Amino acid sequence: EAQVTQNPRYLITVTGKKLTVTCSQNMNHEYMSWYRQDPGLGLRQIYYSMNVEVTDKGDVPEGYKVSRKEKRNFPLILESPSPNQTSLYFCASSTKGGSYEQYFGPGTRLTVT
Amino acid sequence: GNSVTQMEGPVTLSEEAFLTINCTYTATGYPSLFWYVQYPGEGLQLLLKATKADDKGSNKGFEATYRKETTSFHLEKGSVQVSDSAVYFCALSALTGANNLFFGTGTRLTVIP
């Protein structure tokens, strides 16, 4: 089954404790990205990757890091989480950019206390 | 810049009622336009899309027409069902540079029997 998986689905952590949210896709997609969803703001892009070893900032990259060492994986790293990073996070992938459909993972709900 | 303005929710309708969710956009160039749907506890999935002016996207009884003259992409359905209860997001892809999807804030639809 074609899918995007994320882990963990739920995470509660404390300020400053480094964490990683994993994302994996099995569709051989070149493009992957991370979004955060906040009430009243819709989804905003954090980082994206056009292919292996090619990443770039989205609209809200502060406080996040990413890497793309393999085509299928695109982890999101929070080196020192803060409460304003409490949010619902989605990973997405697509064949390419532009008008191609993006496939979304199920989401990771992160709470930073 | 690129942005999407979407009708505020929530929207509550009775089963078989007519649905319209308004969406207008601002973009440089000629974007692709999308409607994504998010069912409770799930990630977003593509509902329909249109890639050029006057295109009509349709799926599952939903329709939206790309209107360049009014910069709009309103979502419509003639007869909603309880199973259509979800959050609906209008989005655009600028087609320049990376595939950054710009999302509206989402409209929550509840259909009551």
Side-chain angles (χ1 to χ4, degrees):
Chain A
E1 180 191 354
Q3 60 182 349
V4 178
T5 57
Q6 295 178 228
N7 282 293
R9 294 290 310 277
Y10 302 90
L11 179 60
I12 300 174
T13 189
V14 296
T15 298
K17 185 176 181 182
K18 181 179 178 179
L19 66 91
T20 299
V21 183
T22 64
C23 172
S24 182
Q25 51 91 6
N26 63 1
M27 296 169 277
N28 201 37
H29 284 166
E30 291 182 359
Y31 179 93
M32 298 185 73
S33 64
W34 277 102
Y35 295 86
R36 58 178 290 173
Q37 182 181 12
D38 300 293
L41 296 176
L43 280 80
R44 294 175 293 168
Q45 191 180 58
I46 303 170
Y47 268 95
Y48 65 92
S49 169
M50 302 287 277
N51 214 325
V52 175
E53 302 291 2
V54 181
T55 64
D56 208 346
K57 297 176 181 178
D59 294 322
V60 288
E62 294 79 20
Y64 304 95
K65 284 177 57 176
V66 292
S67 67
R68 187 93 180 273
K69 293 183 169 47
E70 305 167 280
K71 198 172 188 179
R72 62 184 293 126
N73 297 323
F74 190 45
L76 179 70
I77 302 157
L78 284 72
E79 295 267 2
S80 182
S82 62
N84 65 12
Q85 293 177 297
T86 293
S87 187
L88 180 58
Y89 292 87
F90 288 100
C91 180
S93 73
S94 69
T95 307
K96 289 183 182 178
S99 63
Y100 290 85
E101 175 182 358
Q102 290 199 24
Y103 294 80
F104 284 79
T108 295
R109 185 166 292 283
L110 172 66
T111 301
V112 183
T113 61
Chain B
N2 300 303
S3 67
V4 174
T5 301
Q6 193 175 336
M7 176 176 158
E8 293 274 341
V11 173
T12 302
L13 295 173
S14 297
E15 208 165 19
E16 299 184 2
F18 184 86
L19 169 71
T20 300
I21 301 178
N22 290 336
C23 171
T24 57
Y25 68 89
T26 302
T28 52
Y30 302 96
S32 291
L33 301 173
F34 306 82
W35 278 99
Y36 279 83
V37 59
Q38 184 179 29
Y39 297 104
E42 299 183 11
L44 282 74
Q45 53 187 275
L46 181 66
L47 180 60
L48 54 85
K49 73 177 186 182
T51 57
K52 62 182 186 298
D54 299 325
D55 265 4
K56 177 186 281 188
S58 61
N59 186 25
K60 300 181 181 179
F62 291 89
E63 292 183 339
T65 300
Y66 188 147
R67 301 283 188 203
K68 186 168 177 289
E69 63 276 11
T70 55
T71 61
S72 65
F73 193 56
H74 305 321
L75 181 68
E76 296 182 336
K77 187 175 185 182
S79 176
V80 294
Q81 305 299 314
V82 172
S83 57
D84 293 327
S85 298
V87 181
Y88 292 82
F89 291 92
C90 185
L92 72 82
S93 176
L95 298 183
T96 56
N99 180 18
N100 189 359
L101 278 177
F102 295 87
F103 285 90
T105 54
T107 301
R108 181 177 299 279
L109 169 67
T110 301
V111 181
I112 55 177

